[in-house]
Amino acid sequence: AVVGCLSARPDMPSESLALGSFLKEEDLVHLHDVLESHGGLAELASMLSANRVLFLARLKEWGVSRLVERQRVANGLARAIKAGRVGTVAATPHLAPCTWTQTDDCLVARLAIPAGTPSSAVAVSFEVNAMDIRVHGEASSMCGRLHGVVKPSDCTWELERAPPAEPAMFELRADQQPHDEVVVTLAKGKAGAEWGGLFASGVGMSSKREKPPPPPEKPK
């Protein structure tokens, strides 16, 4: 089964690179069976494009144990994408980096998921210094050891549904479809503590901090 990709129509170049040819070029032919069992080159390229940190973690989970080989796969695939030799499909939203903001008392993180995902398909767990969110049993980009400590009993999450899409003249690509969001509120263990990041380790380190809105201009 293909992990982490939608069954969308690939945006394939006229002369796409096959997985076997790519691995031969990178002198990594021995990884063919491992990578092929998790999708074609387009699916792998989509995951890499969505989230490099998560891509490298997935390679390790799949059995590519040597860091140097994981880096070679990622770097070679990135070059092939840049050269237009690899087509891609739209990556599942929950693989893309989450976003977050903070106040003195809490942090609010947002993770995109496919629109219409039932709440029963989302599993969220909080620990004093870790968080794990899975969608349909698959680890999302919001997993790992937190940058600070939280109060698990005071942490909450909810699903924020996307507004109904307006009729479009043309069929939207998968990456243009509206997304629901898992909205997580983390209660800081120490109020007033400034977090320099959301995660300290794990795939969550790809998270992106949203810039606060600029202060309103003072009247002249």
Side-chain angles (χ1 to χ4, degrees):
V2 174
V3 177
C5 290
L6 299 173
S7 56
R9 180 179 177 180
D11 179 18
M12 299 296 294
S14 56
E15 295 184 6
S16 59
L17 185 64
L19 177 61
S21 299
F22 164 73
L23 293 175
K24 186 175 181 180
E25 290 180 4
E26 299 296 327
D27 195 23
L28 295 168
V29 176
H30 58 285
L31 299 180
H32 183 273
D33 291 346
V34 172
L35 298 184
E36 187 180 45
S37 65
H38 293 283
L41 204 59
E43 286 80 11
L44 296 173
S46 296
M47 186 182 298
L48 174 62
S49 298
N51 194 328
R52 181 185 175 93
V53 174
L54 185 143
F55 178 77
L56 292 171
R58 287 288 194 273
L59 291 181
K60 185 175 181 179
E61 291 174 9
W62 297 341
V64 184
S65 58
R66 298 181 61 196
L67 174 60
V68 64
E69 291 188 342
R70 298 196 296 271
Q71 294 284 5
R72 283 170 60 190
V73 172
N75 293 340
L77 191 50
R79 290 192 297 270
I81 294 170
K82 186 175 181 180
R85 302 177 66 202
V86 182
T88 60
V89 297
T92 302
H94 66 259
L95 299 185
C98 65
T99 60
W100 64 282
T101 58
Q102 69 177 314
T103 65
D104 287 343
D105 300 319
C106 68
L107 302 98
V108 177
R110 293 176 173 270
L111 175 71
I113 61 174
T117 299
S119 59
S120 59
V122 181
V124 182
S125 64
F126 302 114
E127 297 180 14
V128 172
N129 62 350
M131 177 170 58
D132 186 281
I133 297 182
R134 296 175 182 268
V135 182
H136 293 292
E138 181 183 25
S140 73
S141 64
M142 201 183 285
C143 296
R145 184 168 62 86
L146 294 169
H147 191 274
V149 296
V150 299
K151 301 174 183 177
S153 60
D154 293 334
C155 296
T156 62
W157 70 277
E158 62 181 331
L159 278 182
E160 190 172 287
R161 299 296 185 183
E166 297 182 0
M169 295 180 62
F170 303 98
E171 184 178 355
L172 297 177
R173 300 193 309 268
D175 60 343
Q176 296 175 319
Q177 299 290 340
H179 298 145
D180 294 340
E181 287 187 322
V182 178
V183 184
V184 172
T185 301
L186 299 172
K188 289 183 177 179
K190 183 179 180 181
E194 179 75 11
W195 286 33
L198 182 59
F199 288 91
S201 65
V203 297
M205 289 187 66
S206 63
S207 62
K208 298 179 179 179
R209 183 174 182 177
E210 293 183 345
K211 294 181 180 180
E217 293 184 2
K218 296 181 179 180
K220 296 181 180 178

